[in-house]
Amino acid sequence: MSADTKIAELLTELHQLIKQTQEERSRSEHNLLNIQKTHERMQTENKTSPYYRTKLRGLYTTAKADAEAECSILRHALDKIAEIKSLLEERRIAAKMAGVYSDTDPPRKTMRRGVLMTLLQQSAMTLPLWIGKPGESPPPLCGATPASSDYVAKQGDKVAARVKAVDGDEQWILAEVVSYNHSTNKYEVDDIDEEGKERHTLSRRRIIPLPQWKANPETDPEALFSKDQLVLALYPQTTCFYRALIHTPPHRPQDDYSVLFEDTSYADGYSPPLNVAQRYVVACKENKKK
């Protein structure tokens, strides 16, 4: 089965799941309305009789079951979306390796700077939000949660890579994994920037995988970097990571970090607060300030 056919099937299944979600929600609304009316009657009569307690217990039990059913459908839909995104990524990588490009993914050597910045913003916006079950901890690479020690980034994954610049200095750049050699424990990565045409061979310690999920500040605040924590963050409108301090962590799932970049041109050594998406903030491996 071709990737296009599989994607079409998954989109059809996703459409059905969305319809099921709406049907489930509409079905549960009657029960929620009954709960509201029962509470209103109790307030009017100013008493909580055994009858009302029994009735509410049954209504809330039904509401809980309805919510769990809707949640199950939504999780199934999220799985379908993840499958679709994975197939699209595989197709993009295959086209890149074959030298064939679509209008939405032009070759890097012809990509305008503005187009690249837009693609990076879209990548940050579409990073999936981790939604765990009650009591479930965020997985590795969710927000600030680091990858496991034996983790190997896959072909096509975006990473922060420490490379030598033309002037000999070292810098952290946004890169895409081309391959990993298990014999030498080294990555081959491409600079994501159109101007960086050199392919880099780097050891694992020079690679930091980027988050694969956004952490939800409302349910998993421990999976976010905390205020004043030292990080590497992608400087806005560039493809380079620089050392920064967390000024304000995200408060809502859609929020960015507010960070203070190290900058000696300012009296206190830090830039004014700048927003950086969760996608592009990683732990800093260098603890000492330069």
Side-chain angles (χ1 to χ4, degrees), residues 95-289:
K96 176 184 174 182
M97 300 302 290
V100 179
Y101 298 87
S102 67
D103 292 338
T104 57
D105 184 29
R108 289 180 303 143
K109 65 181 179 181
T110 63
M111 193 185 298
R112 296 193 306 275
R113 188 76 177 178
V115 174
L116 176 60
M117 293 300 109
T118 299
L119 290 175
L120 296 183
Q121 290 175 0
Q122 289 175 348
S123 176
M125 290 175 61
T126 58
L127 189 69
L129 179 70
W130 168 254
I131 304 174
K133 297 177 182 178
E136 185 177 11
S137 299
L141 295 180
C142 172
T145 310
S148 58
S149 58
D150 59 350
Y151 177 81
V152 174
K154 302 186 298 296
Q155 183 185 39
D157 281 359
K158 304 301 187 293
V159 297
R162 190 175 186 180
V163 302
K164 281 192 176 182
V166 178
D167 58 8
D169 289 340
E170 294 196 332
Q171 61 181 4
W172 287 95
I173 65 168
L174 179 60
E176 180 175 315
V177 174
V178 177
S179 64
Y180 178 76
N181 188 320
H182 289 271
S183 299
T184 61
N185 289 327
K186 289 188 176 181
Y187 285 98
E188 277 197 337
V189 301
D190 281 341
D191 188 339
I192 203 72
D193 196 333
E194 60 182 352
E195 298 170 354
K197 298 181 178 66
E198 183 181 356
R199 181 162 290 180
H200 303 277
T201 302
L202 304 169
S203 63
R204 291 181 62 169
R205 64 185 178 83
R206 288 178 170 268
I207 296 292
I208 304 176
L210 298 190
Q212 294 183 355
W213 295 276
K214 283 187 285 192
N216 188 342
E218 297 168 354
T219 57
D220 303 299
E222 74 283 1
L224 291 165
F225 293 109
S226 55
K227 181 176 173 59
D228 294 330
Q229 191 167 351
L230 182 64
V231 297
L232 288 173
L234 195 72
Y235 197 89
Q237 299 301 309
T238 76
T239 58
C240 291
F241 290 84
Y242 297 98
R243 292 157 56 94
L245 291 180
I246 298 296
H247 178 62
T248 308
H251 293 298
R252 299 172 301 171
Q254 67 269 32
D255 289 347
D256 295 335
Y257 283 102
S258 174
V259 306
L260 309 173
F261 285 97
E262 292 184 357
D263 191 333
T264 55
S265 65
Y266 291 92
D268 61 357
Y270 292 97
S271 72
L274 293 171
N275 288 346
V276 181
Q278 282 197 48
R279 171 73 162 162
Y280 303 122
V281 180
V282 296
C284 184
K285 290 188 174 183
E286 308 158 343
N287 292 324
K288 295 182 179 178
K289 185 175 178 179

